[in-house]
Amino acid sequence: MRRTAALLMTSLLASAAALAVPTAAQARTLVDPPTTGSCVAYPSGPFGVGVCGGLEPRRAWSVWAKCQSGITVSSGLRLGDGTATANCGSGRVYSTWVSIGPMLP
């Protein structure tokens, strides 16, 4: 039951992130590049950790991690400054990165 719920939640978050992050062609028109701030991402055990500071309060972002199992997980969307984690469960994190999205109204 727990595994099924986790799989469904992962699918839902991935779908939401796919809708929130525009394609490269759309990025020039839909996403204003951040004018301030920076983000870093790093693996920490089974987690991909992302930390952003100095972002505009309405700037959307999320952290992503590629897991040992081959799946990619996301933290879900965050706004402004903060820390977020993407959980690979008990598996190892191979890579992690932060995706910066649009300014929300």
Side-chain angles (χ1 to χ4, degrees):
M1 182 73 163
R2 194 180 257 174
R3 183 178 289 169
T4 302
L7 287 172
L8 289 173
M9 183 57 92
T10 301
S11 296
L12 179 62
L13 288 173
S15 298
L19 292 174
V21 178
T23 64
Q26 295 173 327
R28 286 174 288 202
T29 58
L30 295 180
V31 177
D32 299 324
T35 57
T36 61
S38 64
C39 298
V40 295
Y42 58 91
S44 178
F47 301 101
V49 180
V51 180
C52 289
L55 293 180
E56 297 93 341
R58 296 179 298 130
R59 174 70 61 188
W61 64 277
S62 62
V63 62
W64 293 79
K66 176 120 176 141
C67 304
Q68 178 181 13
S69 63
I71 65 168
T72 302
V73 293
S74 168
S75 65
L77 292 178
R78 300 284 189 261
L79 293 176
D81 296 345
T83 301
T85 58
N87 187 352
C88 282
S90 62
R92 183 176 167 187
V93 174
Y94 280 124
S95 63
T96 185
W97 63 95
V98 172
S99 293
I100 298 188
M103 287 285 285
L104 298 179

